[in-house]
Amino acid sequence: MSTPQSRVADAIARVPYAKFLGLRAELKGDELTLIMPFAPHLVGNPMLPALHGGVVGALMEVTALTQLSITAKSEKFAKTIDINIEYLRSGKPVDTYARARVVKIGRRIANVQAEAWQNERSQPIATLHGHFMTPETDEAGA
């Protein structure tokens, strides 16, 4: 019998880009934290060095999709409609963490916010606001 933690880990392992990023999950109750361990291939600007913005954005998008799946109690990931990312600070070459909060799940669309941080959660390096098509809507339209 699988645990919620192992189901989340299995779901993330099915996403090839999440595997490339080396993402791992910590689940406490319904609260998910995704961790992206630092690796040299994640650096976008070697002169600073700083994490590539796409890497930070992907971390937050996968976090939002996974948290939405947990909250909606769905085995399927939602589909991204649009996301808006605000880059607040340069991502340093250290481990990065992300959490998401589902603001609302409607019949068709879910509204999710996420943030990524490194040393202190009170100083996020980026935030995400996204709209996602819920899996039930996708099935009904297919």
Side-chain angles (χ1 to χ4, degrees):
M1 182 172 186
S2 64
T3 64
Q5 175 78 37
S6 67
R7 285 195 302 269
V8 168
D10 290 345
I12 292 171
R14 291 192 313 257
V15 180
Y17 195 58
K19 191 174 182 180
F20 171 77
L21 297 175
L23 300 183
R24 66 176 198 269
E26 288 184 5
L27 183 64
K28 294 182 180 172
D30 284 345
E31 188 174 73
L32 171 74
T33 303
L34 284 192
I35 302 161
M36 182 174 67
F38 173 74
H41 69 278
L42 303 178
V43 172
N45 184 343
M47 298 301 284
L48 294 178
L51 294 177
H52 192 281
V55 166
V56 176
L59 167 65
M60 291 189 299
E61 185 176 0
V62 171
T63 303
L65 287 167
T66 307
Q67 182 66 60
L68 179 57
S69 179
I70 292 167
T71 303
K73 302 187 184 328
S74 173
E75 295 289 324
K76 295 181 178 180
F77 281 122
K79 293 183 178 177
T80 303
I81 296 172
D82 66 20
I83 57 172
N84 182 28
I85 298 173
E86 294 183 26
Y87 294 97
L88 306 172
R89 294 177 177 78
S90 176
K92 306 292 183 206
V94 297
D95 293 355
T96 306
Y97 306 87
R99 281 190 184 158
R101 180 176 72 92
V102 176
V103 177
K104 181 180 179 183
I105 301 176
R107 287 185 308 138
R108 298 173 153 174
I109 296 173
N111 185 320
V112 183
Q113 296 176 336
E115 66 179 8
W117 72 94
Q118 293 183 313
N119 294 326
E120 293 185 39
R121 187 169 181 193
S122 63
Q123 296 182 337
I125 61 170
T127 61
L128 172 146
H129 185 110
H131 297 100
F132 301 91
M133 183 181 301
T134 59
E136 290 75 22
T137 300
D138 185 42
E139 288 176 359

